[in-house]
Amino acid sequence: MPWILLLLVSLFSVSANAVSLPAAVVGASTTQKSETPPAEPDADKKKAAYAALADVLENEASRKALIEQLRQAAATPADQPTPVIKPPVNNEEDKTVLENVTEVTRHYGGEFAGRFAQLHRNITNAPHKPFNEKTFFNALSHFSLLAVSVFLFYFAVRACAIPLYRKMGQWGRRKNIHRASWVQLPLMIILAFLIDLALLALTLFVGQLAIEMMNAGSRTIARQQGLFLNAFALIEFFKAILRLMFSPRFPSLRPFVISDASARYWHLRLSGLSSLIGYGLLVAVPIISAQVNVQVGALANVIIMLTMTAWALYLIFHNKRAITAGLTRLADRSLAFFSLFIRAFALIWHWLASAYFIVLFFFSLFDPGNSLKTMMGASLKTLAIVSVAAFICGVFTRWLSKTITLSPPVQRNYPELQKRLNGWLSVSLKLARFLTVCVAVMLLLNAWGLFDFWTWLTVGAGEKAVDILIRISLIVFFSAVGWTLLASLIESRLASDIHGRPMPSARTRTLLTLFRNALAVIISTITIMIVLSEIGVNIAPLLAGAGALGLAVSFGSQTLVKDIITGIFIQFENGMNTGDLVTIGPLTGTVERMSIRSVGVRQDTGAYHIIPWSSITTFANFVRGIGSFVANYDVDRFEETEKANRALRAAVDELMEQEDIRMLVIGEPNVVGIVGLTNTAFTIRVTFTTQPLKQWTVRFALDGMVKKHFDLAGIRPPVQTVQVMQPMPDAAAAAEAQAAAGGALPPANPTV
């Protein structure tokens, strides 16, 4: 054991890419000759040695070189010195992308050409086998007898099940009329498929018994009959799937909306295509190769597959437009999520189908025994994966249209909780649907041998990715739960009094709203930092950068800091709240929004102003306890004073008798009387104290009432007088005007 440790410690001790194996050997020899054992290497050296050994073993060329040197060292006689083990040198140079592509192309091109060469040798140079006519026809008779017996039995048992299929379909369709009974029809379709498989299993059992009785004691005939039975099982299983999809004889059991003619058309042709492939490759070709010779069998394989491929391509492109139109109509009837995939599939389905049969053709040429099995297995896996994934995605999509409805007491106490839960549920379902699609894609690649999903999932990057994904999901989940609980508690405190609870003050509502927004920013920031840390991002530079940026911002944005501090003090002093009518400088409007930096004010004209806190030196708030107004009315100077005061008093009294106005007035109005006198009018005054923001309502009602009573009393408003001053005409200007008129001025003192 010590010399092994020394070997690992000394491995790659000089550099990361070089192995100092001679030093290891020397160390080992020294250990054997020396009386004192060497010191135990530390953990860092062991780890470095392990990593270096892994690098050597990872490279195929260096691994082979190391194994060869070790075998030579092990085979060295005891009387000879231990040979020096040199580290394997990697002479490979880094290749460019073009060189790698060229190498891969050359490799697979050679493999492809070699396959064709092998096929040519099988057809031309295979050893000939003498044809025995008696043996051939004897085997053919027993084979035909078994095939006819199996087909007759299978068709007979399926004919007995026809009334059952018909009744099952009618019952399922009758139940499917009601929306509450939608599950009966799918159950009947699945049950019919299972019965079909059970009848197939019964037929295979009977066929196996028939083989034991009809093989004429020949193992060759029994093996050929077994080939037929295996092909029969595979082909009829595929036909059972076709009957499940198209159901040509029982439209009531058809899961898709398709016409009877189309169902019969595709069922007949796809069944014929599968029979040609299955019985041709699995039965005809092996029997011909065994009974005749290999050349004829290989040639028959080529002819069968070429016929199959040509027929398949003809069906694909002959029905391209009809199938594309059908897929488009299906996309129009489907949900939005499935509609996208169906439309994309409608554009490329014919290329995928053509590639499928072309690949099957080449596989059958190169590997006739396993090609059909491989392709059918991959096809069934694909069908199962797509069906399960579509079902799961359909369930998620259906759930997206549903919502969580909380009880009325919970909605009263937590007004935004239901909306927030439905939002989280929608996001979770969409994410789950996306992950389902990703897993389905990887499983499809695994089914066709393009990606080893299970190895990826359990070893290396896949395992790490899944672990990271689970941790991120838990982090986001707990963050969402925490934010939902805290936000719901704050919103519960902000709920109005229409449900029997006291309404919080405007100041409380404003501060709680600001706290909720700040809490959202804090939780989001912490969650993002933790997620970045989980995926491997070093957040230390981010935190340091954020600190440096904050310091730079604090020096470069003093105005912003002033805005924040001023806003905080205004809030703590309860200067204004959302919904207050304020005057800030020359602007008068309603506060609509308050942030940590500014306040948003809406004027009665509709203009919206954003005012930084630091620019506010003084402001007036009209919503602080009471509202008041002073009403002045001008009356003609020659009207009687008492008459005008009586009319004003009568207007005020009638106004106060209105219940909707009386509830807005605090206390009693004060009729002051004459407060001003001019040469044309005198002014009388009345003052009101009202609820906040109700002074204009009372003032408008008072103006209408005063107009009414002044008209009834015949009180005139002041008469507006205008004094016009006409200047004397200038003599020179008058003379010029007279001269222009063609006359002279009259004498100043005319005489007779």
Side-chain angles (χ1 to χ4, degrees):
M1 189 67 183
W3 69 272
I4 297 178
L5 292 177
L6 286 176
L7 176 64
L8 295 175
V9 168
S10 56
L11 192 66
F12 285 103
S13 60
V14 178
S15 64
N17 297 321
V19 183
S20 183
L21 293 179
V25 177
V26 172
S29 303
T30 306
T31 304
Q32 296 175 357
K33 296 179 181 179
S34 178
E35 297 180 356
T36 59
E40 182 73 14
D42 56 9
D44 294 335
K45 292 183 179 180
K46 290 182 180 180
K47 292 179 181 180
Y50 295 155
L53 181 60
D55 293 335
V56 171
L57 298 178
E58 187 177 10
N59 185 274
E60 185 177 359
S62 61
R63 183 173 65 252
K64 290 181 179 179
L66 179 61
I67 292 174
E68 184 66 24
Q69 294 184 40
L70 292 175
R71 291 189 183 279
Q72 291 179 3
T76 303
D79 56 346
Q80 296 183 8
T82 304
V84 178
I85 301 177
K86 298 180 180 181
V89 180
N90 186 13
N91 295 323
E92 288 188 14
E93 298 180 357
D94 294 335
K95 299 180 180 179
T96 62
V97 176
L98 183 59
E99 291 176 344
N100 290 327
V101 172
T102 303
E103 183 178 355
V104 171
T105 305
R106 186 180 298 150
H107 172 74
Y108 286 101
E111 290 287 333
F112 197 69
R115 293 288 185 175
F116 272 105
Q118 181 65 35
L119 178 63
H120 181 266
R121 288 193 299 270
N122 292 337
I123 296 177
T124 58
N125 300 328
H128 292 271
K129 181 180 179 181
F131 178 70
N132 191 334
E133 182 178 355
K134 181 180 179 180
T135 304
F136 175 78
F137 283 106
N138 182 40
L140 180 62
S141 61
H142 288 82
F143 179 87
S144 302
L145 181 61
L146 175 70
V148 171
S149 302
V150 171
F151 278 119
L152 288 177
F153 180 81
Y154 186 57
F155 291 151
V157 295
R158 289 196 68 251
C160 296
I162 288 176
L164 178 61
Y165 289 152
R166 186 175 290 110
K167 290 184 178 296
M168 290 169 58
Q170 293 174 355
W171 183 79
R173 289 291 176 183
R174 194 165 55 251
K175 290 292 186 179
N176 196 48
I177 297 176
H178 308 286
R179 289 185 176 271
S181 305
W182 63 272
V183 73
Q184 280 80 359
L185 181 59
L187 287 178
M188 291 298 101
I189 295 174
I190 296 174
L191 182 60
F193 177 69
L194 295 178
I195 294 174
D196 213 356
L197 295 182
L199 296 179
L200 176 60
L202 178 61
T203 305
L204 294 177
F205 176 74
V206 174
Q208 189 66 37
L209 296 178
I211 290 176
E212 297 178 359
M213 296 183 295
M214 299 179 182
N215 58 16
S218 174
R219 296 181 61 182
T220 302
I221 296 176
R223 187 174 67 253
Q224 294 172 359
Q225 291 174 339
L227 291 176
F228 165 76
L229 200 61
N230 292 333
F232 175 83
L234 182 62
I235 295 168
E236 292 302 326
F237 177 76
F238 181 74
K239 289 182 179 180
I241 296 176
L242 293 179
R243 287 191 292 270
L244 172 66
M245 298 171 57
F246 299 105
S247 188
R249 301 183 62 183
F250 310 103
S252 56
L253 290 175
R254 193 175 299 152
F256 306 108
V257 181
I258 185 174
S259 63
D260 295 342
S262 298
R264 288 191 295 268
Y265 176 88
W266 285 109
H267 178 263
L268 178 61
R269 282 155 179 79
L270 293 179
S271 298
L273 191 63
S274 63
S275 299
L276 176 62
I277 299 174
Y279 293 119
L281 295 184
L282 300 181
V283 180
V285 172
I287 292 178
I288 293 174
S289 300
Q291 294 293 332
V292 185
N293 54 52
V294 178
Q295 294 94 330
V296 178
L299 186 61
N301 178 64
V302 173
I303 294 173
I304 292 172
M305 293 307 301
L306 192 61
T307 304
M308 180 275 303
T309 305
W311 187 14
L313 294 178
Y314 168 76
L315 290 176
I316 291 170
F317 288 96
H318 180 71
N319 299 275
K320 175 187 173 183
R321 288 187 179 178
I323 296 177
T324 302
L327 291 174
T328 304
R329 290 192 297 270
L330 179 62
D332 295 335
R333 298 191 305 268
S334 303
L335 299 174
F337 175 77
F338 294 103
S339 178
L340 177 63
F341 291 96
I342 296 174
R343 293 183 187 278
F345 182 72
L347 297 175
I348 61 172
W349 75 268
H350 53 287
W351 299 116
L352 295 177
S354 302
Y356 178 87
F357 287 101
I358 292 174
V359 170
L360 179 59
F361 172 73
F362 285 109
F363 275 12
S364 65
L365 297 181
F366 301 150
D367 192 7
N370 299 320
S371 60
L372 184 61
K373 179 181 178 182
T374 303
M375 296 293 290
M376 290 295 296
S379 302
L380 292 177
K381 291 179 182 178
T382 300
L383 182 61
I385 293 169
V386 172
S387 301
V388 174
F391 175 76
I392 296 175
C393 292
V395 171
F396 289 153
T397 305
R398 293 288 184 184
W399 287 352
L400 281 172
S401 60
K402 301 183 181 296
T403 56
I404 298 175
T405 303
L406 302 177
S407 61
V410 177
Q411 294 187 30
R412 287 195 301 268
N413 295 327
Y414 307 98
E416 297 293 329
L417 180 59
Q418 178 174 315
K419 179 181 178 182
R420 190 168 286 109
L421 289 177
N422 288 320
W424 286 120
L425 179 62
S426 177
V427 172
S428 301
L429 290 176
K430 290 180 180 179
L431 182 61
R433 190 174 61 182
F434 174 75
L435 292 177
T436 302
V437 173
C438 294
V439 173
V441 171
M442 289 188 288
L443 289 176
L444 288 175
L445 296 176
N446 182 80
W448 290 95
L450 302 176
F451 176 70
D452 193 351
F453 175 72
W454 303 111
T455 303
W456 177 83
L457 190 63
T458 56
V459 180
E463 183 181 11
K464 185 178 180 181
V466 173
D467 182 60
I468 292 174
L469 185 61
I470 293 174
R471 291 202 299 268
I472 291 176
S473 301
L474 292 175
I475 293 170
V476 175
F477 172 76
F478 286 113
S479 299
V481 170
W483 160 246
T484 302
L485 293 176
L486 294 175
S488 299
L489 293 174
I490 295 174
E491 291 161 355
S492 175
R493 184 69 180 88
L494 291 172
S496 63
D497 63 344
I498 60 175
H499 304 298
R501 295 185 302 163
M503 179 184 291
S505 62
R507 179 172 179 266
T508 302
R509 294 197 304 270
T510 303
L511 293 177
L512 287 177
T513 302
L514 292 175
F515 177 71
R516 182 186 60 186
N517 298 335
L519 191 65
V521 174
I522 293 172
I523 293 178
S524 300
T525 304
I526 295 176
T527 302
I528 292 173
M529 289 296 180
I530 296 176
V531 169
L532 291 176
S533 176
E534 288 294 330
I535 63 178
V537 178
N538 187 11
I539 62 174
L542 295 177
L543 296 176
L549 181 63
L551 184 62
V553 169
S554 64
F555 283 108
S557 57
Q558 298 182 8
T559 304
L560 178 61
V561 176
K562 185 178 180 182
D563 290 336
I564 296 173
I565 295 175
T566 305
I568 292 174
F569 278 103
I570 290 177
Q571 291 303 310
F572 276 106
E573 293 176 358
N574 197 20
M576 66 179 71
N577 295 297
T578 303
D580 290 358
L581 181 65
V582 296
T583 296
I584 303 175
L587 301 176
T588 299
T590 304
V591 179
E592 288 192 356
R593 182 192 61 84
M594 299 178 66
S595 67
I596 196 171
R597 191 194 71 86
S598 61
V599 57
V601 177
R602 178 84 63 182
Q603 286 185 295
D604 55 358
T605 59
Y608 183 75
H609 300 269
I610 298 177
I611 305 171
W613 290 115
S614 61
S615 64
I616 301 176
T617 55
T618 59
F619 64 90
N621 194 330
F622 294 91
V623 188
R624 283 296 181 265
I626 63 172
S628 64
F629 70 92
V630 177
N632 295 323
Y633 301 99
D634 294 333
V635 182
D636 189 86
R637 181 183 179 94
F638 298 100
E639 293 288 345
E640 295 182 5
T641 305
E642 293 298 329
K643 180 180 178 182
N645 286 331
R646 287 195 303 270
L648 180 60
R649 173 63 68 179
V652 172
D653 294 340
E654 185 176 354
L655 180 67
M656 296 299 291
E657 292 176 358
Q658 299 179 10
E659 188 63 27
D660 55 341
I661 298 297
R662 184 67 183 89
M663 63 185 300
L664 303 179
V665 179
I666 299 175
E668 295 293 332
N670 181 23
V671 181
V672 180
I674 298 178
V675 295
L677 181 65
T678 64
N679 58 347
T680 59
F682 62 89
T683 304
I684 57 179
R685 176 180 296 177
V686 60
T687 61
F688 279 78
T689 302
T690 68
Q691 295 181 7
L693 300 179
K694 301 301 180 182
Q695 58 265 40
W696 293 281
T697 303
V698 179
R699 174 63 187 269
F700 298 154
L702 177 63
D703 290 342
M705 197 64 67
V706 170
K707 174 67 169 58
K708 172 184 174 182
H709 283 269
F710 277 16
D711 291 342
L712 292 176
I715 298 176
R716 298 171 299 170
V719 178
Q720 185 177 7
T721 59
V722 179
Q723 185 178 6
V724 180
M725 303 295 293
Q726 185 175 2
M728 294 296 294
D730 185 61
E736 291 178 0
Q738 185 66 26
L745 292 175
N749 297 313
T751 56
V752 179

